[in-house]
Amino acid sequence: MAKIADYFELSYDALIRHDLSQEIEVENEASKLSQKITELLGPENAAELFKTTINLIRSGIKVKELVLFAETATALRDRKLSTDQKGGEGGLDQVF
């Protein structure tokens, strides 16, 4: 039990009373997300993204704010890609 508690960084009380299946599910999903990001960005860029994200969180930015930023950036990128495919102008170039 001590090794399990140490692995999950839980007290013995939390280990006994806590539903670890949720922790394992979150860890599995995080691992899948990490692999997908690495596939999309490449190992060096993914590592840089993770370092930047950790530094932002340490500096006080909230995870919800990071998610909102990522969603907004993705929507703007998709809008630009859509506009570019139509041969028009706009998208990120107009925003920035």
Side-chain angles (χ1 to χ4, degrees), residues 2 5 9 12-13 18 23 26-27 29 39 41-42 52 59 61 63 68 70 72 76 83 85 90-91 95-96:
E9 298 177 0
Y12 296 125
D13 185 55
H18 191 72
E23 299 291 328
V26 168
E27 189 174 308
E29 290 302 314
E39 288 173 15
L41 300 179
T52 301
S59 71
I61 193 167
V63 173
L68 179 61
T72 303
L76 289 170
T83 303
Q85 289 174 351
V95 173
F96 300 106

Side-chain angles (χ1 to χ4, degrees), residues 23-67:
E23 299 291 328
I24 293 169
E25 185 177 325
V26 168
E27 189 174 308
N28 288 340
E29 290 302 314
S31 178
K32 289 177 192 174
L33 179 60
S34 176
Q35 288 174 338
K36 187 66 175 171
I37 289 171
T38 302
E39 288 173 15
L40 291 171
L41 300 179
E44 291 176 10
N45 291 330
E48 189 63 33
L49 173 64
F50 293 133
K51 282 190 242 177
T52 301
T53 302
I54 289 168
N55 288 334
L56 287 169
I57 291 169
R58 286 182 180 154
S59 71
I61 193 167
K62 294 182 173 132
V63 173
K64 287 182 181 181
E65 293 169 339
L66 283 172
V67 170

